Amino acid sequence: MRRSGSPFTGVGAIALKEAADHMTSARMHMIMLLVILTALGAVYGSIGRLRDTTAEDAYLFLKLFTVAQDPLPSFAAFLGFLLPLVSIALGFDAINGEFNRRTMSRVLAQPIYRDAMLFGKFLGGLIVLAVSLLTLWLLMVGLGMLFLGLPPSGGDIVRSVAWLVVTLAYAGVWLALAIALSTLIRTPATSALAALSVWLILAVFWGMVAPLVAGVVAPVDPLEPASILNSFEWRQAISRLSPQTLYGEVTGILLDPAARSVGPLFMHQLHGAVIGSPLPTGQSLLIVWPQISALIAAMLALFTAAYVVFQRQEIRA
Amino acid sequence: MSAIVLEAKGLVKRYGEAVAVAGVDMTVHQGEVIGLLGPNGAGKTTTILMLLGLTEASEGEVSVLGKDPLRQPLEVKREVGYLPDAVGFYDTMTGRENLVYTGKLAGLSRKAIDHRIDAALERVRLGDAGRRRVSTYSRGMRQRLGIAELLMRDCKVMILDEPTSGLDPQSTHELLELIQQLASEGITILLSSHQLDVVQAICSRVALFNKGRIGFFGTVDELAQQIGRGAFIVDVEAGGIDLTSLAQKADGVASVAKVSDGVWQVEATRDVRPELAKIVVDAGGSLRNLDLRRARLDEAYNRYFTEVANAA
């Protein structure tokens, strides 16, 4: 049966309202303050280190994002760890909050499809994430120029913008997860806890779980050198179930033009290569294309799950 | 007879094995105020959701203003306003901001929204409070804001779920007056409520939902007659006679009940006071009081659900 009208009617109004709500909420202000402070700390550390090695570094601007100075991790590592928190904060009560406020039936009684509610919530969250990431990126560029005294090259800008887009996709995965859980679970506190649990498992414990599972599935035989490689590949495959691993691999390749592989590098792969020479941005993107695709696929799969559950829900509150 | 705005035929809603609505037939005309009554779980809200296209009917047909809520939900929702029970608003936004948001969802231009909001808020006496956050609103103010939203959208049909629940008597009175005004302007109103005095005060007809069906659909007088009581109730006080058997002789008397010594309650299909007075006098009794009142919805409702519906 075909219905009249577009499922996107009202998406813009919902997305802008959601974005405005997030931008003005105390919850978001606190989390963004945390992100900005840690980012500033990371940048300060990396600038301090880069100043000592300015003459030796070929990709100075990009290293702003990846160089760490103990005890602080790099800016990219900070984002990889904290961005899921921001996304979860944006999405954990997206749908169940509407039910609890008893606004769902009133909003859906307006001339819109319920598709618009979910699309609008997701888009509103993505807008906030995009604005926040862009602000952080501009802050980094500005601080880099101010303290290092060097402007970024065109290539640096292209690479860092590509990395920014992938970072948005990474944040989108966590946003989609938080919205999916808010659709499945009626209590916002419980859905927040569920999302945080997934984050803890994938961000903190997955790095420990992957080698354990790989050790069981493909144990290393000391008499068989190929088993080391086999076990490593298993570990890599299992760890790639975590979006953080995928994001880390993309970051490593996109922000380091000299990097040529996310896994073990064999001599035959280096045939004809000038060691240390940068790869074109397109080549770097091709290397991590599977990771980027996986991040986008995970985001779409989670959003689809939320969509299916939401479409089947009874709207009474 | 005014135009038909809403028509449901054999409407059924099943959730797996459970049947929430088991075949609802209903025809509502323009400007009518219809009371949707019945115990919890009788199928009122599910029927409302099907009328709005918010849930899909398992069987049957619905037409709202000539449109199918399932195939043309946006067109139907553009004309039909729904005020849910204990309506929720975004507390951090002002009353005006809440209305601006729903105005945008309804596809109104910003100019039209601003113009209509002022008029709607004034009409529900929230002109001054419109710029305050909804978190500071009382229950009654929220209900009135909900009505203002429907007014802003210029709805032709309004579905109000328990609109007076939790309101003080003054607010209830004002809301009922407003609903009657809207009906007189040609707006059709479906009102779901457990407050039977409220329903009787403003509804032209009532629909009694029972076990997923409409057991009765008509006026309160018709309901009283259907359950074996007359629409006219006469309280008689007389001495020196026993009216219980004598009053049955009068044409139109449905039942006679002795309330206490010398006091009877006669239910009839018409005003039988002259006949009752004559019976008392002819029998040599002394007539002290003869009061006529119309059947009360709460009495008819209770009797319907304790006797007729349960027997069915």
Side-chain angles (χ1 to χ4, degrees), chain B residues 79-117:
Chain B
E79 310 276 6
V80 181
Y82 175 46
L83 182 69
D85 178 21
V87 58
F89 289 94
Y90 299 103
D91 280 356
T92 54
M93 293 161 74
T94 66
R96 283 186 73 87
E97 287 168 346
N98 269 284
L99 296 195
V100 168
Y101 177 50
T102 42
K104 282 180 184 170
L105 291 179
L108 300 175
S109 69
R110 185 61 206 235
K111 197 177 167 189
I113 291 171
D114 287 338
H115 176 70
R116 291 190 194 182
I117 281 180

Side-chain angles (χ1 to χ4, degrees), chain B residues 8 19-20 37 63 85 88 99 112 114 126 142-143 172 180 187 189 192 205 272-273 278 296-297:
Chain B
V19 180
L37 309 176
S63 163
D85 178 21
L99 296 195
D114 287 338
L126 284 177
R142 283 168 189 259
Q143 294 292 94
T172 301
Q180 281 175 319
I187 294 172
I189 294 169
S192 167
R205 288 192 292 163
V272 290
R273 280 179 299 175
K278 189 169 184 303
R296 279 188 11 216
L297 178 58

